[in-house]
């Protein structure tokens, strides 16, 4: 199965930007829907964004719509999350995931999770 490794997290000031990367290995990457979730301390893991196999469709949580952009480069086996106009409430551990199908608010049939990368946004 596809294996995922996130990178790009860090500490930024409110209003700043970060670009997260999720490098995948395995032949199934190009046929997998991909997405990002996040989990803040004391809160449930929540959906952030998802992208279809070909990259033709994207989905976003209302809380990040207009600020975050998910994309993928199948030639590089990598999915990205460009995060702009970051807010303190975006602080969380961000995880990428690979599944069967992307839709609004969910990735069906998640088969793989990354280890997570910390994003901290200061006020």
């Amino acid at each position: 199965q596809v294996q995922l490794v996130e990178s790009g997290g860090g500490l930024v000031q409110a209003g700043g930007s970060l670009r997260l990367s999720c490098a995948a290995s395995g032949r199934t990457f190009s046929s997998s829907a991909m997405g990002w979730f996040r989990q803040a301390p004391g809160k449930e893991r929540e959906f952030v964004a998802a992208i279809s196999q070909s990259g033709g469709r994207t989905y976003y949580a209302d809380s990040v719509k207009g600020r975050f952009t998910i994309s993928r480069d199948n030639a590089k086996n990598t999915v990205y999350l460009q995060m702009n106009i970051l807010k303190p409430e975006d602080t969380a551990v961000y995880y990428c995931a690979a599944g069967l199908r992307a839709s609004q608010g969910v990735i069906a049939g998640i088969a793989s999770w990354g280890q997570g990368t910390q994003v901290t946004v200061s006020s």
Side-chain angles (χ1 to χ4, degrees), residues 1-4 23-35 51-54 72-79 97-101 107-113:
Q1 295 183 354
V2 61
Q3 295 180 323
L4 310 173
S25 62
R27 67 169 67 181
T28 61
F29 175 79
S30 62
S31 62
S32 297
M34 302 293 297
I51 188 167
S52 62
Q53 295 173 3
S54 66
R72 67 190 296 163
D73 186 339
N74 287 350
K76 296 181 178 179
N77 285 2
T78 302
V79 63
L100 296 176
R101 179 181 176 87
I107 299 174
I110 292 176
S112 301
W113 290 95

Side-chain angles (χ1 to χ4, degrees), residues 1-120:
Q1 295 183 354
V2 61
Q3 295 180 323
L4 310 173
V5 179
E6 302 99 332
S7 62
L11 173 64
V12 298
Q13 293 183 336
S17 298
L18 280 175
R19 189 191 195 196
L20 305 184
S21 298
C22 177
S25 62
R27 67 169 67 181
T28 61
F29 175 79
S30 62
S31 62
S32 297
M34 302 293 297
W36 291 91
F37 294 76
R38 67 187 183 186
Q39 187 167 23
K43 299 186 66 177
E44 297 292 325
R45 185 172 298 187
E46 65 175 342
F47 171 87
V48 176
I51 188 167
S52 62
Q53 295 173 3
S54 66
R57 293 185 180 274
T58 57
Y59 307 89
Y60 299 94
D62 288 344
S63 59
V64 307
K65 191 173 299 181
R67 299 188 297 119
F68 290 11
T69 302
I70 187 171
S71 62
R72 67 190 296 163
D73 186 339
N74 287 350
K76 296 181 178 179
N77 285 2
T78 302
V79 63
Y80 305 96
L81 185 68
Q82 178 66 46
M83 305 184 295
N84 298 326
I85 319 176
L86 283 162
K87 304 175 180 179
E89 49 263 46
D90 295 319
T91 296
V93 177
Y94 284 70
Y95 302 88
C96 65
L100 296 176
R101 179 181 176 87
S103 60
Q104 181 60 45
V106 66
I107 299 174
I110 292 176
S112 301
W113 290 95
Q115 84 287 354
T117 185
Q118 176 71 47
V119 172
T120 302

